[in-house]
Amino acid sequence: MQKIFVFLKCDLGQAYDVAAALVDGLEEVSEVDSISGQYDLLAKFYLPREIDVGRFVTEQVQTVKGVKDSFTLVAFNAFT
């Protein structure tokens, strides 16, 4: 599995709807948190190794109604 974090900016007033859509619609989602700062949400996903991260984010996450912008981090498990 590969772990990614996606910071999401949402249209005004849409953060709760976006969070619900992610949790209800994507089995790869692990957690979605509301955060302070320039982004509204932080979502953690676990993807099978064969899944292309770029395609997953652009086709599955960015297309959720109410998502305005995203920033993706790929996490490397270097400490176990």
Side-chain angles (χ1 to χ4, degrees):
M1 297 296 263
Q2 51 188 334
K3 179 172 37 175
I4 65 169
F5 295 90
V6 182
F7 292 86
L8 297 163
K9 286 183 188 177
C10 303
D11 291 328
L12 291 177
Q14 296 298 305
Y16 282 91
D17 292 336
V18 169
L22 292 171
V23 170
D24 294 340
L26 297 175
E27 67 182 40
E28 298 87 353
V29 73
S30 172
E31 302 169 36
V32 179
D33 295 305
S34 180
I35 58 174
S36 62
Q38 73 183 93
Y39 291 91
D40 301 305
L41 300 172
L42 174 59
K44 180 166 69 171
F45 298 91
Y46 288 97
L47 306 176
R49 288 271 172 218
E50 64 273 7
I51 297 295
D52 180 271
V53 172
R55 283 193 178 275
F56 176 78
V57 172
T58 59
E59 295 174 1
Q60 302 295 317
V61 180
Q62 291 178 344
T63 58
V64 170
K65 183 180 177 193
V67 171
K68 187 175 188 176
D69 191 18
S70 69
F71 179 80
T72 303
L73 296 173
V74 177
F76 302 96
N77 192 4
F79 303 106
T80 59

